[in-house]
Amino acid sequence: MQPISVTQVFEKLPNPDLQPLIRKEINNSFFSVEEADIASLIPIRDRFAHKGTFGHALLFAGSRGKTGAAVLAAKACLRIGSGLLTVHIPACGEIILQTSIPEAMIEPDEEQEFITNSSSIAKYNAIGIGPGIGCHEKTSEVLLRLFENTKQPLVIDADAINLLAQNEQLLHALPAGCILTPHPREFDRLAGVSENAWERLQKACQWAVQHKVYIVLKGAYTAICSPDRECRFNSTGNPGMATAGSGDVLTGIILGLLAQSYSPLNASLAGVYLHGLAGDIAASEKSQESLIASDIIENLGLAFKKISYFCNRTE
């Protein structure tokens, strides 16, 4: 990874003219993530591998009116290479999921509208929660039980972050080493409103160290802040990806990589890079203006191929 200066960091933040004139020191190292860094993380698959080799992911997603978030995250999880996927979803979404993603296994909740329970999680290799789950009190209780009992790698997104911001008990139970993927407004709910992007980035770096977690602060040049006091900026992606469902896709991608035994840091780095690269490929074909979240999923295969070509690998 290429080290970058604080001045270069400012170039990656929106509205640089609005940044404070005095740049406060921050006890972090900054790096830019490039193609070579990601190519080194992606292993060649063994010819004798089977679906169990690539992990079993569990995804908690969806509520009435937000089943699409579950569909997008689940498709992305499978497309990124997870061997098996179980989706826990409110009962109202069972037929939708079974129809739209026949490759996934469905675990319907006893409640029709939102998630209220979770079965045994011991058999899963990685767990994701958040896309479209809503903020019902009973769903918050599921999140707390998950925090208290899971030993697996965990990615937390969307409404799960909003629930975390609303509940001090959840914050205290947050497992070390998990990955949070907030957009700026979600992070502001979690850590307090920031006056500008530089202040928000400082808070994200500090929050990651304080809570021993990984913060994937989404946006142009998405920042991956880690407990080791390093902040890594992604170099792929485009404004066309500022569209509904793009974050759900990223959650599914990171979950699928965690299930394949990527470390939380490497799952975050590779996930964000491949997500952005797939978005760049989609935009080159369809334009930034017409890009939708499903286009990102459909181009993950080409993103992998581009990385393989960089390594001079053959499929």
Side-chain angles (χ1 to χ4, degrees):
M1 285 176 216
Q2 183 67 36
I4 58 176
S5 66
V6 174
T7 299
Q8 291 172 306
V9 171
F10 267 69
E11 294 172 354
K12 296 181 181 296
L13 299 177
N15 301 319
D17 55 314
L18 299 180
Q19 307 305 324
L21 296 177
I22 300 175
R23 300 172 182 181
K24 297 180 182 178
E25 291 298 322
I26 181 170
N27 189 20
N28 270 71
S29 300
F30 298 100
F31 299 88
S32 179
V33 180
E34 306 297 336
E35 188 170 23
D37 304 312
I38 303 307
S40 69
L41 301 180
I42 299 174
I44 298 175
R45 290 198 162 193
D46 191 309
R47 175 173 288 276
F48 296 98
H50 53 83
K51 62 186 178 183
T53 305
F54 304 112
H56 191 167
L58 173 62
L59 173 66
F60 292 90
S63 59
R64 183 171 292 279
K66 296 181 180 179
T67 305
V71 171
L72 289 168
K75 283 186 175 181
C77 181
L78 289 166
R79 186 66 75 182
I80 205 70
S82 178
L84 294 161
L85 170 65
T86 295
V87 184
H88 186 102
I89 191 167
C92 65
E94 180 178 9
I95 295 176
I96 296 171
L97 265 291
Q98 290 277 210
T99 304
S100 59
I101 317 171
E103 299 90 348
M105 292 174 282
I106 311 302
E107 182 181 79
D109 199 279
E110 61 188 23
E111 167 63 45
Q112 284 285 328
E113 307 275 327
F114 45 83
I115 291 170
T116 63
N117 64 67
S118 60
S119 61
S120 173
I121 60 174
K123 68 180 180 181
Y124 301 104
N125 300 102
I127 301 172
I129 185 167
I133 62 172
C135 292
H136 195 277
E137 182 180 352
K138 290 187 177 180
T139 306
S140 182
E141 294 171 2
V142 173
L143 190 59
L144 179 59
R145 290 196 298 272
L146 190 63
F147 284 0
E148 291 176 338
N149 296 303
T150 184
K151 305 298 182 185
Q152 298 94 322
L154 180 66
V155 56
I156 304 164
D157 183 38
D159 285 328
I161 294 175
N162 293 329
L163 286 169
L164 182 62
Q166 297 168 13
N167 189 324
E168 192 76 16
Q169 188 178 11
L170 284 173
L171 188 59
H172 290 310
L174 186 66
C178 66
I179 303 168
L180 287 77
T181 60
H183 59 57
R185 289 186 65 183
E186 288 169 344
F187 184 74
D188 283 355
R189 295 183 193 117
L190 193 63
V193 176
S194 297
E195 292 185 6
N196 51 58
W198 172 243
E199 182 181 344
R200 184 177 296 111
L201 178 63
Q202 286 182 300
K203 286 182 180 180
C205 292
Q206 293 161 357
W207 217 91
V209 173
Q210 179 184 354
H211 295 278
K212 298 181 176 62
V213 299
Y214 297 86
I215 301 290
V216 177
L217 186 59
K218 295 183 289 195
Y221 304 105
T222 290
I224 298 94
C225 307
S226 57
D228 62 2
R229 297 186 181 277
E230 293 188 348
C231 179
R232 301 158 175 91
F233 289 96
N234 186 52
S235 58
T236 59
N238 64 83
M241 298 174 70
T243 185
S246 180
D248 303 319
V249 172
L250 178 61
T251 299
I253 289 172
I254 294 175
L255 173 59
L257 294 173
L258 288 174
Q260 295 172 72
S261 299
Y262 283 65
S263 70
L265 175 60
N266 289 346
S268 299
L269 295 174
V272 170
Y273 189 93
L274 288 165
H275 178 260
L277 181 56
D280 289 340
I281 295 169
S284 69
E285 178 186 349
K286 298 179 180 295
S287 81
Q288 293 182 7
E289 290 78 6
S290 66
L291 194 152
I292 60 174
S294 296
D295 298 330
I296 301 172
I297 300 171
E298 291 172 5
N299 284 282
L300 282 171
L302 291 176
F304 270 120
K305 281 184 172 292
K306 188 173 188 300
I307 296 294
S308 294
Y309 294 149
F310 180 89
C311 298
N312 294 317
R313 283 165 28 183
T314 57
E315 297 295 332

